[in-house]
Amino acid sequence: MANAGKLSRPFRFDRRRTFRMKDVNPRDTGGLSCEKEASKALQKGVDRLRKMQEKLYAQDRWALLLVFQAIDAAGKDGTIKHVMSGVNPSGCQVFSFKAPSAEELDHDFLWRTTRCLPERGRIGIFNRSWYEEVLVVRVHPEILERQKLPAELITKEIWSQRHEDIRAFERYLSRNGVAVVKFFLTVSKEEQKERFLARLDEPEKHWKFELRDVREREHWDRYMKAYEDAIRETAAPWAPWYVIPADHKWFTRLAVADAVVDAMETLDLEYPQIGAAKKTELAEARRLLEEES
């Protein structure tokens, strides 16, 4: 892929406490100015991803988990659709996490996402994730009341404790062959407004619009603070964050594809080597087929 391993790295954060929200401009395009050229590069990335996914599936040693987080209208769905357009559906799983159910609220905050982790050889995609527990729940702490936690556990330390738990959990995944790559698509408040207005102008998009999406804009600064803290506290070499500018969708998709390709190239994926017994079996299969009348 053009720019492989280069385009995504300025937006990669893999050390705790190195990220600041102001470090990434939502309108940044990584020095690219031509959408047409970006589309060509994206297609190359999609083709490269398809080939590596075949090796991932055949090797059956690693699993890849892609976590997508963003403010509403940042383009998560569209990015997933375009970047994964060449992937074999049998080797990919997508889960979207909405408001937790009554059953989910009766378990620990990692339970509902843990059940959806990808098997070895597969790519798992989380559209939102356990990070909601230190984002929306932090912005709306009244949600904690519905989580049925013992009162003595709800202290001012709960967010740092959840960051700690997430770090440990992602470390655990990495030690068990699950490569975790996390994306925060950062869109400007002005661009989000324009996208909301566009949805109101297009009847086919009314289904995905809710009044509360607009009202959440009142908490913009609190969300940005929660995102900054979450990224600062959970960035790690084994579970890096990519903070991707999202005001230009064509660039967002290219940057995400570049990061996914970069991550898969570090896994040393290869088709399994066959031994002498397997070669003998294949030779016998050929002989039988060629002897058929």
Side-chain angles (χ1 to χ4, degrees):
M1 176 181 181
N3 300 310
K6 297 179 182 179
L7 183 64
S8 60
R9 286 181 181 171
F11 309 107
R12 175 183 168 120
F13 298 90
D14 59 9
R15 292 290 188 277
R16 286 183 62 191
R17 300 185 177 88
T18 62
F19 172 68
R20 297 175 299 174
M21 192 65 71
K22 66 179 182 179
D23 289 337
V24 181
N25 180 356
R27 297 193 60 78
D28 194 355
T29 59
L32 301 177
S33 58
C34 180
E35 181 175 352
K36 183 177 180 180
E37 289 302 313
S39 297
K40 291 180 180 178
L42 174 60
Q43 188 55 55
K44 291 180 181 179
V46 170
D47 292 342
R48 178 68 177 143
L49 179 56
R50 173 182 56 79
K51 294 175 182 177
M52 287 192 293
Q53 186 224 359
E54 292 176 356
K55 293 181 180 180
L56 177 77
Y57 189 83
Q59 191 183 62
D60 199 27
R61 289 290 183 268
W62 287 95
L64 177 64
L65 177 62
L66 307 178
V67 175
F68 287 85
Q69 293 288 158
I71 292 290
D72 290 321
K76 296 192 308 301
D77 291 337
T79 298
I80 293 169
K81 175 182 176 180
H82 283 79
V83 172
M84 309 306 292
S85 59
V87 169
N88 187 333
S90 66
C92 184
Q93 307 159 325
V94 183
F95 294 95
S96 296
F97 297 99
K98 306 295 184 180
S101 66
E103 179 187 21
E104 290 167 344
L105 289 172
D106 270 334
H107 291 80
D108 64 274
F109 78 87
L110 289 171
W111 182 78
R112 67 170 180 162
T113 45
T114 302
R115 296 187 302 162
C116 302
L117 290 170
E119 303 97 323
R120 301 190 193 282
R122 294 178 181 268
I123 298 174
I125 299 173
F126 283 1
N127 187 338
R128 304 190 188 279
S129 67
W130 47 75
Y131 280 97
E132 294 298 286
E133 296 296 329
V134 293
L135 297 170
V136 65
V137 179
R138 183 173 179 179
V139 173
H140 297 284
E142 65 274 12
I143 296 176
L144 280 173
E145 298 176 6
R146 300 198 293 272
Q147 295 188 347
K148 304 179 182 180
L149 289 169
E152 59 269 26
L153 298 183
I154 303 177
T155 70
K156 63 180 181 180
E157 305 298 327
I158 191 169
W159 311 119
S160 61
Q161 290 169 351
R162 287 190 171 186
H163 290 149
E164 179 183 2
D165 293 337
I166 290 171
R167 288 197 304 271
F169 180 62
E170 292 175 349
R171 182 61 163 165
Y172 166 82
L173 292 178
S174 74
R175 288 171 171 167
N176 284 272
V178 181
V180 182
V181 183
K182 303 171 292 190
F183 296 96
F184 170 47
L185 308 187
T186 176
V187 68
S188 66
K189 194 173 184 180
E190 296 74 21
E191 178 64 20
Q192 186 198 54
K193 177 181 177 180
E194 292 302 314
R195 293 181 185 180
F196 279 167
L197 289 172
R199 289 181 183 180
L200 292 173
D201 291 336
E202 299 179 40
E204 64 272 19
K205 293 186 178 180
H206 287 176
W207 65 272
K208 65 191 303 184
F209 193 89
E210 296 184 28
L211 179 59
R212 68 180 181 182
D213 294 339
V214 175
R215 288 179 171 160
E216 284 297 280
R217 286 168 59 83
E218 300 173 4
H219 307 292
W220 186 274
D221 291 342
R222 294 179 65 191
Y223 271 111
M224 293 302 104
K225 171 62 175 172
Y227 270 109
E228 183 174 82
D229 286 351
I231 294 168
R232 285 168 59 91
E233 291 299 321
T234 63
W238 54 84
W241 275 102
Y242 287 88
V243 182
I244 306 295
D247 275 17
H248 298 283
K249 294 180 180 180
W250 57 268
F251 175 76
T252 305
R253 295 162 184 170
L254 176 59
V256 169
D258 182 73
V260 176
V261 168
D262 195 30
M264 294 192 76
E265 286 179 339
T266 67
L267 301 182
D268 194 25
L269 301 174
E270 295 292 345
Y271 289 109
Q273 298 295 313
I274 62 173
K278 186 65 174 180
K279 290 180 180 178
T280 300
E281 179 185 337
L282 294 176
E284 177 65 9
R286 178 180 292 278
R287 185 188 67 79
L288 293 173
L289 288 168
E290 292 177 344
E291 288 181 354
E292 286 185 2
S293 58

